[in-house]
Amino acid sequence: MNVDALIPAASIIKIFAVLFSIAYIIYTLFFLQQVLAIMKVLKDGHNSIFLVVTYLQILLGFLLLLLALVII
Amino acid sequence: MAVNIDETSHSLFHSFCVRPDFSFQTQAAGEEVILVLRQHPFVIVGWILRSLFFLALVVIVNFIFAGFGDPGLKVFLNFFAGVLIFSYLWFSLVGYHYNVGIVTNQRILDLDFHLFSYREFSIADLSKVEDITTKATGFFQSLFNYGDVFIQTAGSDANVEFERVPRPADVADIINQLLPK
């Protein structure tokens, strides 16, 4: 079986990759909002670590979008 | 032996903290946090196993489709899979950290953190506590000494439930020590 023939056109893959990346960024932004909200309720010594890694995740989302736009 | 509630102590990866450096938004003046509870660290094993499974799946798929497809697409898909696995672990850890049970010298609070409804607060006044029940069922709960604590209250206060917390008998003991005589 020729597997390459099953792979859709590059433009379609690119559109889906960009859409998935944007969906991931929106999801992480929503998560950040929830984390910020809960941090107002609970105050403990680890809040800043949780905030930094959540920001890092948003950064990963943008990196994903960049990869989708540049590499594919 | 009764748990000493006068000295600060943290055990089991901060899942059982006596008198921690911790405060919350609705804390009243003079209200002291005596105990902060999270789920037993054993629950983390489930996420790690699931993540390892998906990681292995990614490796297998890469191996099967080694000679096919665009290299750029492969880099993207691998990165995407890695980000998703990391996110799964991270969201689980945040959920674990902010799902807390708090026992103060005045009341008992249970905060559940969910992604789509960030908080679900149950509060019970210590003076209204009627009954405390602990339950540890199954092999792992008995082995690692964790289980559920149900706090039943009188009147309109909500019943509070701490799920899969470490040392449930000690939790009940601490609450009993704090109950008004």
Side-chain angles (χ1 to χ4, degrees):
Chain A
M1 190 175 73
N2 184 5
V3 178
D4 277 327
L6 297 173
I7 299 171
S11 58
I12 296 173
I13 293 172
K14 189 165 190 155
I15 290 168
F16 272 100
V18 170
L19 284 177
F20 274 122
S21 308
I22 291 170
Y24 179 79
I25 292 168
I26 292 169
Y27 189 73
T28 47
L29 284 171
F30 184 69
F31 188 75
L32 173 71
Q33 185 209 346
Q34 302 291 63
V35 170
L36 286 171
I38 197 117
M39 277 176 185
K40 283 183 188 162
V41 178
L42 300 179
K43 295 167 183 85
D44 77 355
H46 302 104
N47 277 358
S48 53
I49 302 166
F50 281 89
L51 202 59
V52 167
V53 182
T54 307
Y55 278 125
L56 183 78
Q57 277 203 304
I58 297 168
L59 205 68
L60 279 176
F62 281 104
L63 200 61
L64 208 61
L65 185 62
L66 195 74
L67 270 178
L69 290 170
V70 175
I71 290 184
I72 300 174
Chain B
M1 203 176 85
V3 181
N4 182 4
I5 57 168
D6 297 322
E7 281 178 27
T8 301
S9 68
H10 300 276
S11 59
L12 293 159
F13 300 102
H14 289 258
S15 61
F16 190 96
C17 308
V18 179
R19 288 201 180 267
D21 176 23
F22 186 94
S23 60
F24 55 94
Q25 198 178 30
T26 55
Q27 193 168 351
E31 187 174 12
E32 294 169 31
V33 176
I34 308 293
L35 180 68
V36 171
L37 292 165
R38 295 188 173 88
Q39 289 190 335
H40 192 279
F42 183 71
V43 297
I44 295 171
V45 173
W47 326 329
I48 292 171
L49 286 178
R50 258 168 285 192
S51 303
L52 286 175
F53 170 76
F54 285 114
L55 209 61
L57 206 66
V58 171
V59 172
I60 290 167
V61 168
N62 267 303
F63 184 72
I64 292 171
F65 294 99
F68 305 103
D70 174 46
L73 178 66
K74 277 185 194 167
V75 170
F76 175 80
L77 287 177
N78 279 309
F79 188 71
F80 191 58
V83 167
L84 284 186
I85 292 168
F86 172 70
S87 298
Y88 167 71
L89 277 172
W90 182 246
F91 293 153
S92 305
L93 185 70
V94 172
Y96 171 83
H97 185 76
Y98 289 113
N99 258 316
V100 287
I102 306 164
V103 179
T104 73
N105 56 349
Q106 294 173 14
R107 53 193 173 150
I108 301 166
L109 304 98
D110 181 22
L111 178 69
D112 292 326
F113 177 82
H114 301 291
L115 185 57
F116 293 102
S117 60
Y118 80 93
R119 56 182 163 172
E120 199 185 298
F121 238 138
S122 310
I123 303 169
D125 210 281
L126 276 177
S127 60
K128 290 185 178 165
V129 171
E130 283 202 328
D131 186 43
I132 306 163
T133 315
T134 63
K135 191 176 86 179
T137 49
F139 175 72
F140 289 112
Q141 294 199 359
S142 303
L143 187 67
F144 294 108
N145 189 16
Y146 72 99
D148 304 337
V149 180
F150 303 98
I151 298 133
Q152 210 177 334
T153 57
S156 58
D157 277 17
N159 290 338
V160 177
E161 187 180 341
F162 298 143
E163 287 175 340
R164 287 177 281 181
V165 291
R167 297 156 61 184
D170 288 345
V171 174
D173 178 51
I174 288 173
I175 296 170
N176 271 323
Q177 285 184 50
L178 294 166
L179 290 180
K181 301 285 184 275

PDB file of all heavy atoms in Angstrom, chain A residues 29-57:
ATOM      1  N   LEU A  29      -4.920  29.917  27.309  1.00  0.00           N
ATOM      2  CA  LEU A  29      -5.284  31.250  27.827  1.00  0.00           C
ATOM      3  C   LEU A  29      -6.454  31.132  28.804  1.00  0.00           C
ATOM      4  O   LEU A  29      -6.483  31.786  29.847  1.00  0.00           O
ATOM      5  CB  LEU A  29      -5.646  32.189  26.675  1.00  0.00           C
ATOM      6  CG  LEU A  29      -4.468  32.745  25.868  1.00  0.00           C
ATOM      7  CD1 LEU A  29      -4.952  33.469  24.623  1.00  0.00           C
ATOM      8  CD2 LEU A  29      -3.604  33.672  26.711  1.00  0.00           C
ATOM      9  N   PHE A  30      -7.401  30.291  28.445  1.00  0.00           N
ATOM     10  CA  PHE A  30      -8.539  30.056  29.326  1.00  0.00           C
ATOM     11  C   PHE A  30      -8.067  29.439  30.644  1.00  0.00           C
ATOM     12  O   PHE A  30      -8.518  29.822  31.728  1.00  0.00           O
ATOM     13  CB  PHE A  30      -9.544  29.135  28.622  1.00  0.00           C
ATOM     14  CG  PHE A  30     -10.800  28.918  29.407  1.00  0.00           C
ATOM     15  CD1 PHE A  30     -11.706  29.947  29.602  1.00  0.00           C
ATOM     16  CD2 PHE A  30     -11.087  27.687  29.967  1.00  0.00           C
ATOM     17  CE1 PHE A  30     -12.856  29.751  30.337  1.00  0.00           C
ATOM     18  CE2 PHE A  30     -12.238  27.473  30.702  1.00  0.00           C
ATOM     19  CZ  PHE A  30     -13.123  28.514  30.881  1.00  0.00           C
ATOM     20  N   PHE A  31      -7.131  28.516  30.530  1.00  0.00           N
ATOM     21  CA  PHE A  31      -6.578  27.871  31.724  1.00  0.00           C
ATOM     22  C   PHE A  31      -5.861  28.894  32.605  1.00  0.00           C
ATOM     23  O   PHE A  31      -6.003  28.878  33.831  1.00  0.00           O
ATOM     24  CB  PHE A  31      -5.607  26.761  31.296  1.00  0.00           C
ATOM     25  CG  PHE A  31      -5.138  25.907  32.430  1.00  0.00           C
ATOM     26  CD1 PHE A  31      -5.975  24.963  32.992  1.00  0.00           C
ATOM     27  CD2 PHE A  31      -3.859  26.041  32.949  1.00  0.00           C
ATOM     28  CE1 PHE A  31      -5.552  24.177  34.049  1.00  0.00           C
ATOM     29  CE2 PHE A  31      -3.427  25.258  33.987  1.00  0.00           C
ATOM     30  CZ  PHE A  31      -4.278  24.321  34.545  1.00  0.00           C
ATOM     31  N   LEU A  32      -5.113  29.800  31.957  1.00  0.00           N
ATOM     32  CA  LEU A  32      -4.404  30.850  32.713  1.00  0.00           C
ATOM     33  C   LEU A  32      -5.405  31.700  33.500  1.00  0.00           C
ATOM     34  O   LEU A  32      -5.172  32.027  34.675  1.00  0.00           O
ATOM     35  CB  LEU A  32      -3.595  31.732  31.752  1.00  0.00           C
ATOM     36  CG  LEU A  32      -2.942  32.962  32.377  1.00  0.00           C
ATOM     37  CD1 LEU A  32      -1.789  32.567  33.286  1.00  0.00           C
ATOM     38  CD2 LEU A  32      -2.436  33.921  31.315  1.00  0.00           C
ATOM     39  N   GLN A  33      -6.507  32.019  32.829  1.00  0.00           N
ATOM     40  CA  GLN A  33      -7.539  32.826  33.502  1.00  0.00           C
ATOM     41  C   GLN A  33      -8.060  32.108  34.749  1.00  0.00           C
ATOM     42  O   GLN A  33      -8.239  32.728  35.810  1.00  0.00           O
ATOM     43  CB  GLN A  33      -8.670  33.079  32.505  1.00  0.00           C
ATOM     44  CG  GLN A  33      -9.752  33.987  33.025  1.00  0.00           C
ATOM     45  CD  GLN A  33     -11.091  33.677  32.410  1.00  0.00           C
ATOM     46  OE1 GLN A  33     -11.189  32.961  31.413  1.00  0.00           O
ATOM     47  NE2 GLN A  33     -12.122  34.202  33.011  1.00  0.00           N
ATOM     48  N   GLN A  34      -8.262  30.800  34.628  1.00  0.00           N
ATOM     49  CA  GLN A  34      -8.754  30.016  35.760  1.00  0.00           C
ATOM     50  C   GLN A  34      -7.722  29.958  36.882  1.00  0.00           C
ATOM     51  O   GLN A  34      -8.066  30.045  38.060  1.00  0.00           O
ATOM     52  CB  GLN A  34      -9.091  28.584  35.318  1.00  0.00           C
ATOM     53  CG  GLN A  34     -10.105  28.480  34.221  1.00  0.00           C
ATOM     54  CD  GLN A  34     -11.479  28.893  34.684  1.00  0.00           C
ATOM     55  OE1 GLN A  34     -11.698  30.047  35.060  1.00  0.00           O
ATOM     56  NE2 GLN A  34     -12.407  27.993  34.684  1.00  0.00           N
ATOM     57  N   VAL A  35      -6.451  29.807  36.490  1.00  0.00           N
ATOM     58  CA  VAL A  35      -5.383  29.741  37.498  1.00  0.00           C
ATOM     59  C   VAL A  35      -5.271  31.078  38.231  1.00  0.00           C
ATOM     60  O   VAL A  35      -5.146  31.129  39.466  1.00  0.00           O
ATOM     61  CB  VAL A  35      -4.030  29.339  36.844  1.00  0.00           C
ATOM     62  CG1 VAL A  35      -2.874  29.508  37.814  1.00  0.00           C
ATOM     63  CG2 VAL A  35      -4.087  27.897  36.376  1.00  0.00           C
ATOM     64  N   LEU A  36      -5.347  32.185  37.466  1.00  0.00           N
ATOM     65  CA  LEU A  36      -5.277  33.508  38.099  1.00  0.00           C
ATOM     66  C   LEU A  36      -6.446  33.706  39.066  1.00  0.00           C
ATOM     67  O   LEU A  36      -6.282  34.289  40.145  1.00  0.00           O
ATOM     68  CB  LEU A  36      -5.296  34.606  37.032  1.00  0.00           C
ATOM     69  CG  LEU A  36      -3.999  34.775  36.237  1.00  0.00           C
ATOM     70  CD1 LEU A  36      -4.207  35.718  35.065  1.00  0.00           C
ATOM     71  CD2 LEU A  36      -2.873  35.294  37.112  1.00  0.00           C
ATOM     72  N   ALA A  37      -7.617  33.196  38.665  1.00  0.00           N
ATOM     73  CA  ALA A  37      -8.803  33.345  39.521  1.00  0.00           C
ATOM     74  C   ALA A  37      -8.629  32.568  40.819  1.00  0.00           C
ATOM     75  O   ALA A  37      -8.942  33.075  41.907  1.00  0.00           O
ATOM     76  CB  ALA A  37     -10.037  32.870  38.770  1.00  0.00           C
ATOM     77  N   ILE A  38      -8.102  31.364  40.725  1.00  0.00           N
ATOM     78  CA  ILE A  38      -7.960  30.545  41.942  1.00  0.00           C
ATOM     79  C   ILE A  38      -6.839  31.083  42.824  1.00  0.00           C
ATOM     80  O   ILE A  38      -6.872  30.948  44.045  1.00  0.00           O
ATOM     81  CB  ILE A  38      -7.777  29.055  41.607  1.00  0.00           C
ATOM     82  CG1 ILE A  38      -8.046  28.181  42.844  1.00  0.00           C
ATOM     83  CG2 ILE A  38      -6.418  28.728  41.100  1.00  0.00           C
ATOM     84  CD1 ILE A  38      -9.182  27.280  42.668  1.00  0.00           C
ATOM     85  N   MET A  39      -5.839  31.724  42.200  1.00  0.00           N
ATOM     86  CA  MET A  39      -4.747  32.287  42.991  1.00  0.00           C
ATOM     87  C   MET A  39      -5.219  33.429  43.884  1.00  0.00           C
ATOM     88  O   MET A  39      -4.613  33.731  44.901  1.00  0.00           O
ATOM     89  CB  MET A  39      -3.644  32.789  42.063  1.00  0.00           C
ATOM     90  CG  MET A  39      -2.721  31.697  41.622  1.00  0.00           C
ATOM     91  SD  MET A  39      -1.545  32.307  40.476  1.00  0.00           S
ATOM     92  CE  MET A  39      -0.737  30.771  40.068  1.00  0.00           C
ATOM     93  N   LYS A  40      -6.304  34.096  43.433  1.00  0.00           N
ATOM     94  CA  LYS A  40      -6.853  35.163  44.281  1.00  0.00           C
ATOM     95  C   LYS A  40      -7.532  34.566  45.512  1.00  0.00           C
ATOM     96  O   LYS A  40      -7.626  35.192  46.553  1.00  0.00           O
ATOM     97  CB  LYS A  40      -7.869  35.983  43.479  1.00  0.00           C
ATOM     98  CG  LYS A  40      -7.217  36.949  42.520  1.00  0.00           C
ATOM     99  CD  LYS A  40      -8.273  37.773  41.808  1.00  0.00           C
ATOM    100  CE  LYS A  40      -7.626  38.586  40.711  1.00  0.00           C
ATOM    101  NZ  LYS A  40      -8.617  39.051  39.735  1.00  0.00           N
ATOM    102  N   VAL A  41      -8.036  33.343  45.342  1.00  0.00           N
ATOM    103  CA  VAL A  41      -8.752  32.691  46.449  1.00  0.00           C
ATOM    104  C   VAL A  41      -7.763  32.072  47.437  1.00  0.00           C
ATOM    105  O   VAL A  41      -7.882  32.256  48.644  1.00  0.00           O
ATOM    106  CB  VAL A  41      -9.716  31.608  45.902  1.00  0.00           C
ATOM    107  CG1 VAL A  41     -10.426  30.904  47.034  1.00  0.00           C
ATOM    108  CG2 VAL A  41     -10.724  32.225  44.952  1.00  0.00           C
ATOM    109  N   LEU A  42      -6.793  31.335  46.903  1.00  0.00           N
ATOM    110  CA  LEU A  42      -5.812  30.657  47.763  1.00  0.00           C
ATOM    111  C   LEU A  42      -4.455  31.317  47.631  1.00  0.00           C
ATOM    112  O   LEU A  42      -3.982  31.539  46.521  1.00  0.00           O
ATOM    113  CB  LEU A  42      -5.682  29.188  47.363  1.00  0.00           C
ATOM    114  CG  LEU A  42      -6.917  28.310  47.442  1.00  0.00           C
ATOM    115  CD1 LEU A  42      -6.574  26.910  46.985  1.00  0.00           C
ATOM    116  CD2 LEU A  42      -7.458  28.271  48.852  1.00  0.00           C
ATOM    117  N   LYS A  43      -3.843  31.591  48.729  1.00  0.00           N
ATOM    118  CA  LYS A  43      -2.515  32.214  48.680  1.00  0.00           C
ATOM    119  C   LYS A  43      -1.522  31.306  49.385  1.00  0.00           C
ATOM    120  O   LYS A  43      -1.536  31.187  50.597  1.00  0.00           O
ATOM    121  CB  LYS A  43      -2.566  33.585  49.341  1.00  0.00           C
ATOM    122  CG  LYS A  43      -3.460  34.551  48.591  1.00  0.00           C
ATOM    123  CD  LYS A  43      -3.755  35.795  49.389  1.00  0.00           C
ATOM    124  CE  LYS A  43      -4.712  36.701  48.643  1.00  0.00           C
ATOM    125  NZ  LYS A  43      -6.123  36.368  48.836  1.00  0.00           N
ATOM    126  N   ASP A  44      -0.694  30.646  48.589  1.00  0.00           N
ATOM    127  CA  ASP A  44       0.382  29.853  49.195  1.00  0.00           C
ATOM    128  C   ASP A  44       1.688  30.133  48.462  1.00  0.00           C
ATOM    129  O   ASP A  44       1.723  30.846  47.463  1.00  0.00           O
ATOM    130  CB  ASP A  44       0.041  28.361  49.268  1.00  0.00           C
ATOM    131  CG  ASP A  44       0.179  27.641  47.945  1.00  0.00           C
ATOM    132  OD1 ASP A  44       0.450  28.303  46.942  1.00  0.00           O
ATOM    133  OD2 ASP A  44       0.022  26.413  47.929  1.00  0.00           O
ATOM    134  N   GLY A  45       2.759  29.584  48.970  1.00  0.00           N
ATOM    135  CA  GLY A  45       4.090  29.916  48.474  1.00  0.00           C
ATOM    136  C   GLY A  45       4.412  29.439  47.072  1.00  0.00           C
ATOM    137  O   GLY A  45       5.391  29.886  46.483  1.00  0.00           O
ATOM    138  N   HIS A  46       3.585  28.567  46.497  1.00  0.00           N
ATOM    139  CA  HIS A  46       3.930  27.987  45.197  1.00  0.00           C
ATOM    140  C   HIS A  46       3.216  28.648  44.027  1.00  0.00           C
ATOM    141  O   HIS A  46       3.392  28.245  42.889  1.00  0.00           O
ATOM    142  CB  HIS A  46       3.603  26.488  45.186  1.00  0.00           C
ATOM    143  CG  HIS A  46       4.304  25.727  46.262  1.00  0.00           C
ATOM    144  ND1 HIS A  46       3.673  25.307  47.389  1.00  0.00           N
ATOM    145  CD2 HIS A  46       5.599  25.363  46.387  1.00  0.00           C
ATOM    146  CE1 HIS A  46       4.538  24.691  48.172  1.00  0.00           C
ATOM    147  NE2 HIS A  46       5.710  24.709  47.590  1.00  0.00           N
ATOM    148  N   ASN A  47       2.402  29.668  44.308  1.00  0.00           N
ATOM    149  CA  ASN A  47       1.593  30.273  43.248  1.00  0.00           C
ATOM    150  C   ASN A  47       2.423  30.777  42.073  1.00  0.00           C
ATOM    151  O   ASN A  47       2.041  30.606  40.918  1.00  0.00           O
ATOM    152  CB  ASN A  47       0.762  31.426  43.819  1.00  0.00           C
ATOM    153  CG  ASN A  47      -0.513  30.924  44.475  1.00  0.00           C
ATOM    154  OD1 ASN A  47      -0.785  29.729  44.461  1.00  0.00           O
ATOM    155  ND2 ASN A  47      -1.270  31.816  45.055  1.00  0.00           N
ATOM    156  N   SER A  48       3.579  31.396  42.363  1.00  0.00           N
ATOM    157  CA  SER A  48       4.368  31.994  41.284  1.00  0.00           C
ATOM    158  C   SER A  48       4.916  30.920  40.338  1.00  0.00           C
ATOM    159  O   SER A  48       4.975  31.138  39.134  1.00  0.00           O
ATOM    160  CB  SER A  48       5.494  32.845  41.858  1.00  0.00           C
ATOM    161  OG  SER A  48       6.233  32.075  42.760  1.00  0.00           O
ATOM    162  N   ILE A  49       5.282  29.764  40.884  1.00  0.00           N
ATOM    163  CA  ILE A  49       5.798  28.677  40.034  1.00  0.00           C
ATOM    164  C   ILE A  49       4.694  28.222  39.068  1.00  0.00           C
ATOM    165  O   ILE A  49       4.928  28.042  37.874  1.00  0.00           O
ATOM    166  CB  ILE A  49       6.267  27.473  40.895  1.00  0.00           C
ATOM    167  CG1 ILE A  49       7.343  27.914  41.871  1.00  0.00           C
ATOM    168  CG2 ILE A  49       6.780  26.345  40.022  1.00  0.00           C
ATOM    169  CD1 ILE A  49       7.621  26.903  42.971  1.00  0.00           C
ATOM    170  N   PHE A  50       3.497  28.085  39.606  1.00  0.00           N
ATOM    171  CA  PHE A  50       2.381  27.630  38.772  1.00  0.00           C
ATOM    172  C   PHE A  50       2.068  28.642  37.664  1.00  0.00           C
ATOM    173  O   PHE A  50       1.756  28.277  36.538  1.00  0.00           O
ATOM    174  CB  PHE A  50       1.145  27.376  39.639  1.00  0.00           C
ATOM    175  CG  PHE A  50       1.213  26.063  40.351  1.00  0.00           C
ATOM    176  CD1 PHE A  50       1.791  25.963  41.591  1.00  0.00           C
ATOM    177  CD2 PHE A  50       0.722  24.912  39.760  1.00  0.00           C
ATOM    178  CE1 PHE A  50       1.891  24.746  42.248  1.00  0.00           C
ATOM    179  CE2 PHE A  50       0.811  23.688  40.401  1.00  0.00           C
ATOM    180  CZ  PHE A  50       1.398  23.607  41.646  1.00  0.00           C
ATOM    181  N   LEU A  51       2.204  29.911  38.012  1.00  0.00           N
ATOM    182  CA  LEU A  51       1.927  30.970  37.036  1.00  0.00           C
ATOM    183  C   LEU A  51       2.985  30.949  35.926  1.00  0.00           C
ATOM    184  O   LEU A  51       2.655  31.028  34.742  1.00  0.00           O
ATOM    185  CB  LEU A  51       1.940  32.318  37.763  1.00  0.00           C
ATOM    186  CG  LEU A  51       1.200  33.446  37.081  1.00  0.00           C
ATOM    187  CD1 LEU A  51      -0.262  33.094  36.875  1.00  0.00           C
ATOM    188  CD2 LEU A  51       1.311  34.721  37.907  1.00  0.00           C
ATOM    189  N   VAL A  52       4.249  30.811  36.309  1.00  0.00           N
ATOM    190  CA  VAL A  52       5.345  30.835  35.331  1.00  0.00           C
ATOM    191  C   VAL A  52       5.200  29.675  34.340  1.00  0.00           C
ATOM    192  O   VAL A  52       5.308  29.869  33.122  1.00  0.00           O
ATOM    193  CB  VAL A  52       6.712  30.780  36.055  1.00  0.00           C
ATOM    194  CG1 VAL A  52       7.837  30.486  35.069  1.00  0.00           C
ATOM    195  CG2 VAL A  52       6.989  32.084  36.777  1.00  0.00           C
ATOM    196  N   VAL A  53       4.917  28.475  34.835  1.00  0.00           N
ATOM    197  CA  VAL A  53       4.815  27.315  33.932  1.00  0.00           C
ATOM    198  C   VAL A  53       3.575  27.442  33.042  1.00  0.00           C
ATOM    199  O   VAL A  53       3.592  27.033  31.879  1.00  0.00           O
ATOM    200  CB  VAL A  53       4.828  25.979  34.706  1.00  0.00           C
ATOM    201  CG1 VAL A  53       4.769  24.792  33.767  1.00  0.00           C
ATOM    202  CG2 VAL A  53       6.084  25.875  35.555  1.00  0.00           C
ATOM    203  N   THR A  54       2.512  28.052  33.565  1.00  0.00           N
ATOM    204  CA  THR A  54       1.320  28.244  32.728  1.00  0.00           C
ATOM    205  C   THR A  54       1.623  29.238  31.601  1.00  0.00           C
ATOM    206  O   THR A  54       1.201  29.049  30.458  1.00  0.00           O
ATOM    207  CB  THR A  54       0.123  28.720  33.583  1.00  0.00           C
ATOM    208  OG1 THR A  54      -0.033  27.801  34.665  1.00  0.00           O
ATOM    209  CG2 THR A  54      -1.166  28.735  32.795  1.00  0.00           C
ATOM    210  N   TYR A  55       2.404  30.289  31.910  1.00  0.00           N
ATOM    211  CA  TYR A  55       2.832  31.224  30.853  1.00  0.00           C
ATOM    212  C   TYR A  55       3.699  30.486  29.827  1.00  0.00           C
ATOM    213  O   TYR A  55       3.606  30.731  28.630  1.00  0.00           O
ATOM    214  CB  TYR A  55       3.618  32.398  31.445  1.00  0.00           C
ATOM    215  CG  TYR A  55       2.746  33.496  32.013  1.00  0.00           C
ATOM    216  CD1 TYR A  55       2.893  33.934  33.327  1.00  0.00           C
ATOM    217  CD2 TYR A  55       1.771  34.113  31.232  1.00  0.00           C
ATOM    218  CE1 TYR A  55       2.100  34.936  33.852  1.00  0.00           C
ATOM    219  CE2 TYR A  55       0.962  35.116  31.747  1.00  0.00           C
ATOM    220  CZ  TYR A  55       1.133  35.528  33.057  1.00  0.00           C
ATOM    221  OH  TYR A  55       0.341  36.508  33.565  1.00  0.00           O
ATOM    222  N   LEU A  56       4.535  29.596  30.323  1.00  0.00           N
ATOM    223  CA  LEU A  56       5.413  28.818  29.443  1.00  0.00           C
ATOM    224  C   LEU A  56       4.578  27.988  28.465  1.00  0.00           C
ATOM    225  O   LEU A  56       4.948  27.823  27.292  1.00  0.00           O
ATOM    226  CB  LEU A  56       6.308  27.916  30.295  1.00  0.00           C
ATOM    227  CG  LEU A  56       7.346  27.092  29.554  1.00  0.00           C
ATOM    228  CD1 LEU A  56       8.521  27.967  29.174  1.00  0.00           C
ATOM    229  CD2 LEU A  56       7.844  25.937  30.408  1.00  0.00           C
ATOM    230  N   GLN A  57       3.465  27.504  28.941  1.00  0.00           N
ATOM    231  CA  GLN A  57       2.586  26.707  28.075  1.00  0.00           C
ATOM    232  C   GLN A  57       2.002  27.552  26.955  1.00  0.00           C
ATOM    233  O   GLN A  57       1.875  27.087  25.821  1.00  0.00           O
ATOM    234  CB  GLN A  57       1.448  26.150  28.903  1.00  0.00           C
ATOM    235  CG  GLN A  57       1.840  24.896  29.621  1.00  0.00           C
ATOM    236  CD  GLN A  57       0.627  24.088  29.939  1.00  0.00           C
ATOM    237  OE1 GLN A  57      -0.278  24.598  30.578  1.00  0.00           O
ATOM    238  NE2 GLN A  57       0.585  22.878  29.498  1.00  0.00           N
TER     239      GLN A  57
END
